[in-house]
PDB file of all heavy atoms in Angstrom:
ATOM      1  N   ASP A 338      -6.841  -3.260  19.251  1.00  0.00           N
ATOM      2  CA  ASP A 338      -6.329  -3.729  20.547  1.00  0.00           C
ATOM      3  C   ASP A 338      -4.965  -4.372  20.371  1.00  0.00           C
ATOM      4  O   ASP A 338      -4.086  -4.252  21.254  1.00  0.00           O
ATOM      5  CB  ASP A 338      -7.322  -4.812  21.129  1.00  0.00           C
ATOM      6  CG  ASP A 338      -8.613  -4.125  21.578  1.00  0.00           C
ATOM      7  OD1 ASP A 338      -8.637  -2.884  21.676  1.00  0.00           O
ATOM      8  OD2 ASP A 338      -9.568  -4.838  21.918  1.00  0.00           O
ATOM      9  N   ALA A 339      -4.800  -5.189  19.359  1.00  0.00           N
ATOM     10  CA  ALA A 339      -3.570  -5.852  19.128  1.00  0.00           C
ATOM     11  C   ALA A 339      -2.409  -4.863  18.925  1.00  0.00           C
ATOM     12  O   ALA A 339      -1.272  -5.002  19.513  1.00  0.00           O
ATOM     13  CB  ALA A 339      -3.656  -6.807  17.911  1.00  0.00           C
ATOM     14  N   ALA A 340      -2.710  -3.789  18.184  1.00  0.00           N
ATOM     15  CA  ALA A 340      -1.667  -2.780  17.989  1.00  0.00           C
ATOM     16  C   ALA A 340      -1.393  -2.142  19.221  1.00  0.00           C
ATOM     17  O   ALA A 340      -0.215  -1.840  19.628  1.00  0.00           O
ATOM     18  CB  ALA A 340      -2.149  -1.779  16.883  1.00  0.00           C
ATOM     19  N   MET A 341      -2.337  -1.839  20.009  1.00  0.00           N
ATOM     20  CA  MET A 341      -2.251  -1.081  21.255  1.00  0.00           C
ATOM     21  C   MET A 341      -1.530  -1.959  22.268  1.00  0.00           C
ATOM     22  O   MET A 341      -0.650  -1.458  23.016  1.00  0.00           O
ATOM     23  CB  MET A 341      -3.666  -0.874  21.890  1.00  0.00           C
ATOM     24  CG  MET A 341      -3.713   0.311  22.844  1.00  0.00           C
ATOM     25  SD  MET A 341      -3.350   1.870  22.024  1.00  0.00           S
ATOM     26  CE  MET A 341      -4.956   2.619  22.214  1.00  0.00           C
ATOM     27  N   LYS A 342      -1.723  -3.213  22.273  1.00  0.00           N
ATOM     28  CA  LYS A 342      -1.103  -4.157  23.275  1.00  0.00           C
ATOM     29  C   LYS A 342       0.442  -4.163  22.908  1.00  0.00           C
ATOM     30  O   LYS A 342       1.331  -4.173  23.862  1.00  0.00           O
ATOM     31  CB  LYS A 342      -1.684  -5.526  23.100  1.00  0.00           C
ATOM     32  CG  LYS A 342      -1.374  -6.451  24.270  1.00  0.00           C
ATOM     33  CD  LYS A 342      -2.122  -7.729  24.308  1.00  0.00           C
ATOM     34  CE  LYS A 342      -1.591  -8.728  25.261  1.00  0.00           C
ATOM     35  NZ  LYS A 342      -2.152 -10.058  24.972  1.00  0.00           N
ATOM     36  N   THR A 343       0.821  -4.305  21.600  1.00  0.00           N
ATOM     37  CA  THR A 343       2.149  -4.279  21.268  1.00  0.00           C
ATOM     38  C   THR A 343       2.864  -3.034  21.627  1.00  0.00           C
ATOM     39  O   THR A 343       4.021  -2.986  22.168  1.00  0.00           O
ATOM     40  CB  THR A 343       2.341  -4.573  19.709  1.00  0.00           C
ATOM     41  OG1 THR A 343       1.689  -5.846  19.425  1.00  0.00           O
ATOM     42  CG2 THR A 343       3.739  -4.585  19.362  1.00  0.00           C
ATOM     43  N   PHE A 344       2.150  -1.952  21.446  1.00  0.00           N
ATOM     44  CA  PHE A 344       2.722  -0.660  21.854  1.00  0.00           C
ATOM     45  C   PHE A 344       2.863  -0.579  23.354  1.00  0.00           C
ATOM     46  O   PHE A 344       3.794  -0.049  23.815  1.00  0.00           O
ATOM     47  CB  PHE A 344       1.753   0.463  21.414  1.00  0.00           C
ATOM     48  CG  PHE A 344       2.169   1.825  21.838  1.00  0.00           C
ATOM     49  CD1 PHE A 344       3.226   2.477  21.265  1.00  0.00           C
ATOM     50  CD2 PHE A 344       1.478   2.433  22.896  1.00  0.00           C
ATOM     51  CE1 PHE A 344       3.614   3.716  21.730  1.00  0.00           C
ATOM     52  CE2 PHE A 344       1.827   3.743  23.368  1.00  0.00           C
ATOM     53  CZ  PHE A 344       2.933   4.348  22.767  1.00  0.00           C
ATOM     54  N   GLY A 345       1.967  -1.318  24.051  1.00  0.00           N
ATOM     55  CA  GLY A 345       2.084  -1.314  25.557  1.00  0.00           C
ATOM     56  C   GLY A 345       3.368  -1.971  26.035  1.00  0.00           C
ATOM     57  O   GLY A 345       3.900  -1.718  27.118  1.00  0.00           O
ATOM     58  N   ILE A 346       3.905  -2.954  25.210  1.00  0.00           N
ATOM     59  CA  ILE A 346       5.087  -3.610  25.541  1.00  0.00           C
ATOM     60  C   ILE A 346       6.302  -2.528  25.701  1.00  0.00           C
ATOM     61  O   ILE A 346       7.032  -2.445  26.628  1.00  0.00           O
ATOM     62  CB  ILE A 346       5.513  -4.628  24.576  1.00  0.00           C
ATOM     63  CG1 ILE A 346       4.508  -5.693  24.608  1.00  0.00           C
ATOM     64  CG2 ILE A 346       6.904  -5.122  24.794  1.00  0.00           C
ATOM     65  CD1 ILE A 346       4.675  -6.708  23.458  1.00  0.00           C
ATOM     66  N   LEU A 347       6.303  -1.705  24.600  1.00  0.00           N
ATOM     67  CA  LEU A 347       7.249  -0.587  24.638  1.00  0.00           C
ATOM     68  C   LEU A 347       7.101   0.342  25.847  1.00  0.00           C
ATOM     69  O   LEU A 347       8.030   0.735  26.515  1.00  0.00           O
ATOM     70  CB  LEU A 347       7.170   0.194  23.342  1.00  0.00           C
ATOM     71  CG  LEU A 347       7.844   1.573  23.298  1.00  0.00           C
ATOM     72  CD1 LEU A 347       9.393   1.325  23.318  1.00  0.00           C
ATOM     73  CD2 LEU A 347       7.491   2.264  21.960  1.00  0.00           C
ATOM     74  N   LEU A 348       5.834   0.722  26.055  1.00  0.00           N
ATOM     75  CA  LEU A 348       5.494   1.596  27.150  1.00  0.00           C
ATOM     76  C   LEU A 348       5.833   1.085  28.512  1.00  0.00           C
ATOM     77  O   LEU A 348       6.487   1.800  29.279  1.00  0.00           O
ATOM     78  CB  LEU A 348       3.946   1.800  27.105  1.00  0.00           C
ATOM     79  CG  LEU A 348       3.453   3.205  27.613  1.00  0.00           C
ATOM     80  CD1 LEU A 348       4.071   4.380  26.784  1.00  0.00           C
ATOM     81  CD2 LEU A 348       2.007   3.356  27.601  1.00  0.00           C
ATOM     82  N   GLY A 349       5.676  -0.227  28.681  1.00  0.00           N
ATOM     83  CA  GLY A 349       5.991  -0.881  29.910  1.00  0.00           C
ATOM     84  C   GLY A 349       7.551  -0.811  30.136  1.00  0.00           C
ATOM     85  O   GLY A 349       7.995  -0.465  31.252  1.00  0.00           O
ATOM     86  N   LEU A 350       8.212  -1.031  29.085  1.00  0.00           N
ATOM     87  CA  LEU A 350       9.721  -1.007  29.223  1.00  0.00           C
ATOM     88  C   LEU A 350      10.215   0.377  29.610  1.00  0.00           C
ATOM     89  O   LEU A 350      11.044   0.482  30.440  1.00  0.00           O
ATOM     90  CB  LEU A 350      10.377  -1.452  27.935  1.00  0.00           C
ATOM     91  CG  LEU A 350      11.867  -1.429  27.745  1.00  0.00           C
ATOM     92  CD1 LEU A 350      12.473  -2.399  28.816  1.00  0.00           C
ATOM     93  CD2 LEU A 350      12.343  -1.785  26.376  1.00  0.00           C
ATOM     94  N   LEU A 351       9.545   1.330  28.937  1.00  0.00           N
ATOM     95  CA  LEU A 351       9.977   2.681  29.264  1.00  0.00           C
ATOM     96  C   LEU A 351       9.656   3.133  30.701  1.00  0.00           C
ATOM     97  O   LEU A 351      10.473   3.720  31.393  1.00  0.00           O
ATOM     98  CB  LEU A 351       9.343   3.697  28.316  1.00  0.00           C
ATOM     99  CG  LEU A 351       9.797   3.632  26.818  1.00  0.00           C
ATOM    100  CD1 LEU A 351       8.921   4.450  25.967  1.00  0.00           C
ATOM    101  CD2 LEU A 351      11.198   3.908  26.605  1.00  0.00           C
ATOM    102  N   GLU A 352       8.513   2.699  31.159  1.00  0.00           N
ATOM    103  CA  GLU A 352       8.088   3.013  32.522  1.00  0.00           C
ATOM    104  C   GLU A 352       9.055   2.326  33.565  1.00  0.00           C
ATOM    105  O   GLU A 352       9.520   2.862  34.531  1.00  0.00           O
ATOM    106  CB  GLU A 352       6.649   2.608  32.771  1.00  0.00           C
ATOM    107  CG  GLU A 352       5.723   3.632  32.156  1.00  0.00           C
ATOM    108  CD  GLU A 352       4.270   3.055  32.146  1.00  0.00           C
ATOM    109  OE1 GLU A 352       4.064   1.745  32.386  1.00  0.00           O
ATOM    110  OE2 GLU A 352       3.404   3.804  31.825  1.00  0.00           O
ATOM    111  N   ARG A 353       9.365   1.112  33.263  1.00  0.00           N
ATOM    112  CA  ARG A 353      10.246   0.400  34.074  1.00  0.00           C
ATOM    113  C   ARG A 353      11.699   1.074  34.105  1.00  0.00           C
ATOM    114  O   ARG A 353      12.219   1.252  35.167  1.00  0.00           O
ATOM    115  CB  ARG A 353      10.443  -1.036  33.641  1.00  0.00           C
ATOM    116  CG  ARG A 353      11.275  -1.919  34.507  1.00  0.00           C
ATOM    117  CD  ARG A 353      10.853  -3.410  34.382  1.00  0.00           C
ATOM    118  NE  ARG A 353      10.835  -3.904  33.038  1.00  0.00           N
ATOM    119  CZ  ARG A 353      11.710  -4.242  32.261  1.00  0.00           C
ATOM    120  NH1 ARG A 353      12.999  -4.159  32.731  1.00  0.00           N
ATOM    121  NH2 ARG A 353      11.610  -4.680  31.072  1.00  0.00           N
ATOM    122  N   GLY A 354      12.027   1.524  32.935  1.00  0.00           N
ATOM    123  CA  GLY A 354      13.420   2.214  32.862  1.00  0.00           C
ATOM    124  C   GLY A 354      13.373   3.545  33.615  1.00  0.00           C
ATOM    125  O   GLY A 354      14.362   3.874  34.212  1.00  0.00           O
ATOM    126  N   GLN A 355      12.253   4.246  33.634  1.00  0.00           N
ATOM    127  CA  GLN A 355      12.152   5.372  34.439  1.00  0.00           C
ATOM    128  C   GLN A 355      12.161   5.093  35.931  1.00  0.00           C
ATOM    129  O   GLN A 355      12.915   5.814  36.708  1.00  0.00           O
ATOM    130  CB  GLN A 355      10.880   6.244  34.087  1.00  0.00           C
ATOM    131  CG  GLN A 355      10.970   7.101  32.886  1.00  0.00           C
ATOM    132  CD  GLN A 355       9.895   7.990  32.661  1.00  0.00           C
ATOM    133  OE1 GLN A 355       8.757   7.766  33.029  1.00  0.00           O
ATOM    134  NE2 GLN A 355      10.149   9.193  32.171  1.00  0.00           N
ATOM    135  N   ARG A 356      11.561   4.045  36.305  1.00  0.00           N
ATOM    136  CA  ARG A 356      11.563   3.695  37.728  1.00  0.00           C
ATOM    137  C   ARG A 356      12.951   3.349  38.171  1.00  0.00           C
ATOM    138  O   ARG A 356      13.369   3.705  39.283  1.00  0.00           O
ATOM    139  CB  ARG A 356      10.585   2.571  38.026  1.00  0.00           C
ATOM    140  CG  ARG A 356       9.151   2.970  38.182  1.00  0.00           C
ATOM    141  CD  ARG A 356       8.250   1.908  38.905  1.00  0.00           C
ATOM    142  NE  ARG A 356       8.276   0.689  38.181  1.00  0.00           N
ATOM    143  CZ  ARG A 356       7.544   0.346  37.147  1.00  0.00           C
ATOM    144  NH1 ARG A 356       6.646   1.248  36.727  1.00  0.00           N
ATOM    145  NH2 ARG A 356       7.641  -0.792  36.560  1.00  0.00           N
ATOM    146  N   ASP A 357      13.607   2.540  37.394  1.00  0.00           N
ATOM    147  CA  ASP A 357      15.010   2.156  37.865  1.00  0.00           C
ATOM    148  C   ASP A 357      16.057   3.177  37.571  1.00  0.00           C
ATOM    149  O   ASP A 357      17.240   2.947  37.742  1.00  0.00           O
ATOM    150  CB  ASP A 357      15.328   0.786  37.286  1.00  0.00           C
ATOM    151  CG  ASP A 357      15.675   0.819  35.682  1.00  0.00           C
ATOM    152  OD1 ASP A 357      16.001   1.878  35.234  1.00  0.00           O
ATOM    153  OD2 ASP A 357      15.477  -0.238  35.131  1.00  0.00           O
ATOM    154  N   GLY A 358      15.608   4.327  37.094  1.00  0.00           N
ATOM    155  CA  GLY A 358      16.589   5.464  36.921  1.00  0.00           C
ATOM    156  C   GLY A 358      17.339   5.431  35.638  1.00  0.00           C
ATOM    157  O   GLY A 358      18.338   6.189  35.455  1.00  0.00           O
ATOM    158  N   SER A 359      17.021   4.509  34.593  1.00  0.00           N
ATOM    159  CA  SER A 359      17.718   4.470  33.466  1.00  0.00           C
ATOM    160  C   SER A 359      17.393   5.622  32.509  1.00  0.00           C
ATOM    161  O   SER A 359      18.124   6.256  31.868  1.00  0.00           O
ATOM    162  CB  SER A 359      17.447   3.121  32.710  1.00  0.00           C
ATOM    163  OG  SER A 359      17.881   2.024  33.543  1.00  0.00           O
ATOM    164  N   PHE A 360      16.019   5.824  32.383  1.00  0.00           N
ATOM    165  CA  PHE A 360      15.620   6.838  31.520  1.00  0.00           C
ATOM    166  C   PHE A 360      15.200   8.100  32.319  1.00  0.00           C
ATOM    167  O   PHE A 360      14.849   8.124  33.453  1.00  0.00           O
ATOM    168  CB  PHE A 360      14.302   6.353  30.796  1.00  0.00           C
ATOM    169  CG  PHE A 360      14.572   5.115  29.929  1.00  0.00           C
ATOM    170  CD1 PHE A 360      13.650   4.140  29.771  1.00  0.00           C
ATOM    171  CD2 PHE A 360      15.754   5.098  29.167  1.00  0.00           C
ATOM    172  CE1 PHE A 360      13.864   3.047  28.902  1.00  0.00           C
ATOM    173  CE2 PHE A 360      16.072   3.973  28.363  1.00  0.00           C
ATOM    174  CZ  PHE A 360      15.056   2.974  28.268  1.00  0.00           C
ATOM    175  N   ARG A 361      15.313   9.248  31.509  1.00  0.00           N
ATOM    176  CA  ARG A 361      15.106  10.512  32.185  1.00  0.00           C
ATOM    177  C   ARG A 361      13.691  10.705  32.571  1.00  0.00           C
ATOM    178  O   ARG A 361      12.741  10.114  32.033  1.00  0.00           O
ATOM    179  CB  ARG A 361      15.364  11.637  31.118  1.00  0.00           C
ATOM    180  CG  ARG A 361      16.933  11.678  30.753  1.00  0.00           C
ATOM    181  CD  ARG A 361      17.199  12.716  29.840  1.00  0.00           C
ATOM    182  NE  ARG A 361      18.570  12.646  29.354  1.00  0.00           N
ATOM    183  CZ  ARG A 361      19.205  13.383  28.402  1.00  0.00           C
ATOM    184  NH1 ARG A 361      18.456  14.367  27.843  1.00  0.00           N
ATOM    185  NH2 ARG A 361      20.448  13.277  28.079  1.00  0.00           N
ATOM    186  N   PRO A 362      13.419  11.399  33.615  1.00  0.00           N
ATOM    187  CA  PRO A 362      12.037  11.554  34.092  1.00  0.00           C
ATOM    188  C   PRO A 362      11.312  12.617  33.435  1.00  0.00           C
ATOM    189  O   PRO A 362      10.576  13.422  34.013  1.00  0.00           O
ATOM    190  CB  PRO A 362      12.351  12.011  35.608  1.00  0.00           C
ATOM    191  CG  PRO A 362      13.609  12.774  35.533  1.00  0.00           C
ATOM    192  CD  PRO A 362      14.447  12.092  34.447  1.00  0.00           C
ATOM    193  N   VAL A 363      11.301  12.560  32.147  1.00  0.00           N
ATOM    194  CA  VAL A 363      10.390  13.378  31.309  1.00  0.00           C
ATOM    195  C   VAL A 363       9.096  12.709  31.180  1.00  0.00           C
ATOM    196  O   VAL A 363       8.909  11.563  31.664  1.00  0.00           O
ATOM    197  CB  VAL A 363      10.953  13.655  29.960  1.00  0.00           C
ATOM    198  CG1 VAL A 363      12.321  14.511  30.094  1.00  0.00           C
ATOM    199  CG2 VAL A 363      11.201  12.487  29.126  1.00  0.00           C
ATOM    200  N   ALA A 364       8.118  13.248  30.565  1.00  0.00           N
ATOM    201  CA  ALA A 364       6.875  12.570  30.382  1.00  0.00           C
ATOM    202  C   ALA A 364       7.086  11.313  29.626  1.00  0.00           C
ATOM    203  O   ALA A 364       7.745  11.242  28.527  1.00  0.00           O
ATOM    204  CB  ALA A 364       5.822  13.488  29.544  1.00  0.00           C
ATOM    205  N   VAL A 365       6.547  10.235  30.125  1.00  0.00           N
ATOM    206  CA  VAL A 365       6.772   8.880  29.378  1.00  0.00           C
ATOM    207  C   VAL A 365       6.224   8.925  28.123  1.00  0.00           C
ATOM    208  O   VAL A 365       6.720   8.167  27.125  1.00  0.00           O
ATOM    209  CB  VAL A 365       6.202   7.728  30.308  1.00  0.00           C
ATOM    210  CG1 VAL A 365       4.693   7.774  30.272  1.00  0.00           C
ATOM    211  CG2 VAL A 365       6.823   6.395  29.915  1.00  0.00           C
ATOM    212  N   SER A 366       5.123   9.694  27.835  1.00  0.00           N
ATOM    213  CA  SER A 366       4.603   9.694  26.467  1.00  0.00           C
ATOM    214  C   SER A 366       5.463  10.207  25.418  1.00  0.00           C
ATOM    215  O   SER A 366       5.448   9.927  24.313  1.00  0.00           O
ATOM    216  CB  SER A 366       3.235  10.475  26.514  1.00  0.00           C
ATOM    217  OG  SER A 366       3.545  11.828  26.857  1.00  0.00           O
ATOM    218  N   ALA A 367       6.392  11.146  25.932  1.00  0.00           N
ATOM    219  CA  ALA A 367       7.380  11.737  24.975  1.00  0.00           C
ATOM    220  C   ALA A 367       8.347  10.639  24.540  1.00  0.00           C
ATOM    221  O   ALA A 367       8.734  10.509  23.472  1.00  0.00           O
ATOM    222  CB  ALA A 367       8.102  12.878  25.571  1.00  0.00           C
ATOM    223  N   LEU A 368       8.867  10.011  25.615  1.00  0.00           N
ATOM    224  CA  LEU A 368       9.750   8.859  25.321  1.00  0.00           C
ATOM    225  C   LEU A 368       9.149   7.793  24.361  1.00  0.00           C
ATOM    226  O   LEU A 368       9.793   7.288  23.502  1.00  0.00           O
ATOM    227  CB  LEU A 368      10.141   8.166  26.649  1.00  0.00           C
ATOM    228  CG  LEU A 368      10.960   8.969  27.664  1.00  0.00           C
ATOM    229  CD1 LEU A 368      11.258   8.085  28.902  1.00  0.00           C
ATOM    230  CD2 LEU A 368      12.269   9.475  27.073  1.00  0.00           C
ATOM    231  N   ALA A 369       7.905   7.529  24.695  1.00  0.00           N
ATOM    232  CA  ALA A 369       7.158   6.577  23.892  1.00  0.00           C
ATOM    233  C   ALA A 369       7.034   7.023  22.425  1.00  0.00           C
ATOM    234  O   ALA A 369       7.362   6.206  21.510  1.00  0.00           O
ATOM    235  CB  ALA A 369       5.800   6.229  24.473  1.00  0.00           C
ATOM    236  N   ALA A 370       6.583   8.204  22.280  1.00  0.00           N
ATOM    237  CA  ALA A 370       6.572   8.693  20.896  1.00  0.00           C
ATOM    238  C   ALA A 370       7.817   8.675  20.113  1.00  0.00           C
ATOM    239  O   ALA A 370       7.962   8.173  18.976  1.00  0.00           O
ATOM    240  CB  ALA A 370       5.983  10.151  20.900  1.00  0.00           C
ATOM    241  N   ALA A 371       8.962   9.103  20.888  1.00  0.00           N
ATOM    242  CA  ALA A 371      10.251   9.095  20.217  1.00  0.00           C
ATOM    243  C   ALA A 371      10.713   7.723  19.900  1.00  0.00           C
ATOM    244  O   ALA A 371      11.214   7.409  18.831  1.00  0.00           O
ATOM    245  CB  ALA A 371      11.221   9.836  21.170  1.00  0.00           C
ATOM    246  N   GLY A 372      10.577   6.860  20.871  1.00  0.00           N
ATOM    247  CA  GLY A 372      11.060   5.451  20.694  1.00  0.00           C
ATOM    248  C   GLY A 372      10.346   4.787  19.568  1.00  0.00           C
ATOM    249  O   GLY A 372      10.936   4.079  18.733  1.00  0.00           O
ATOM    250  N   TRP A 373       9.068   4.911  19.662  1.00  0.00           N
ATOM    251  CA  TRP A 373       8.239   4.250  18.623  1.00  0.00           C
ATOM    252  C   TRP A 373       8.478   4.739  17.247  1.00  0.00           C
ATOM    253  O   TRP A 373       8.699   3.997  16.248  1.00  0.00           O
ATOM    254  CB  TRP A 373       6.768   4.358  19.063  1.00  0.00           C
ATOM    255  CG  TRP A 373       5.862   3.451  18.312  1.00  0.00           C
ATOM    256  CD1 TRP A 373       6.181   2.227  17.727  1.00  0.00           C
ATOM    257  CD2 TRP A 373       4.405   3.683  18.122  1.00  0.00           C
ATOM    258  NE1 TRP A 373       5.042   1.763  17.220  1.00  0.00           N
ATOM    259  CE2 TRP A 373       3.973   2.520  17.429  1.00  0.00           C
ATOM    260  CE3 TRP A 373       3.558   4.646  18.450  1.00  0.00           C
ATOM    261  CZ2 TRP A 373       2.626   2.461  17.046  1.00  0.00           C
ATOM    262  CZ3 TRP A 373       2.250   4.576  18.139  1.00  0.00           C
ATOM    263  CH2 TRP A 373       1.803   3.364  17.391  1.00  0.00           C
ATOM    264  N   ALA A 374       8.541   6.031  17.171  1.00  0.00           N
ATOM    265  CA  ALA A 374       8.756   6.617  15.783  1.00  0.00           C
ATOM    266  C   ALA A 374      10.129   6.221  15.242  1.00  0.00           C
ATOM    267  O   ALA A 374      10.241   5.890  14.081  1.00  0.00           O
ATOM    268  CB  ALA A 374       8.695   8.162  15.911  1.00  0.00           C
TER     269      ALA A 374
END
Side-chain angles (χ1 to χ4, degrees):
Chain A
D338 288 352
M341 202 68 112
K342 197 172 167 192
T343 299
F344 177 72
I346 295 171
L347 168 65
L348 209 60
L350 178 61
L351 294 174
E352 281 167 349
R353 184 152 51 79
Q355 277 193 324
R356 276 199 303 276
D357 72 22
S359 299
F360 295 143
R361 296 182 186 175
V363 300
V365 72
S366 64
L368 294 181
W373 195 20

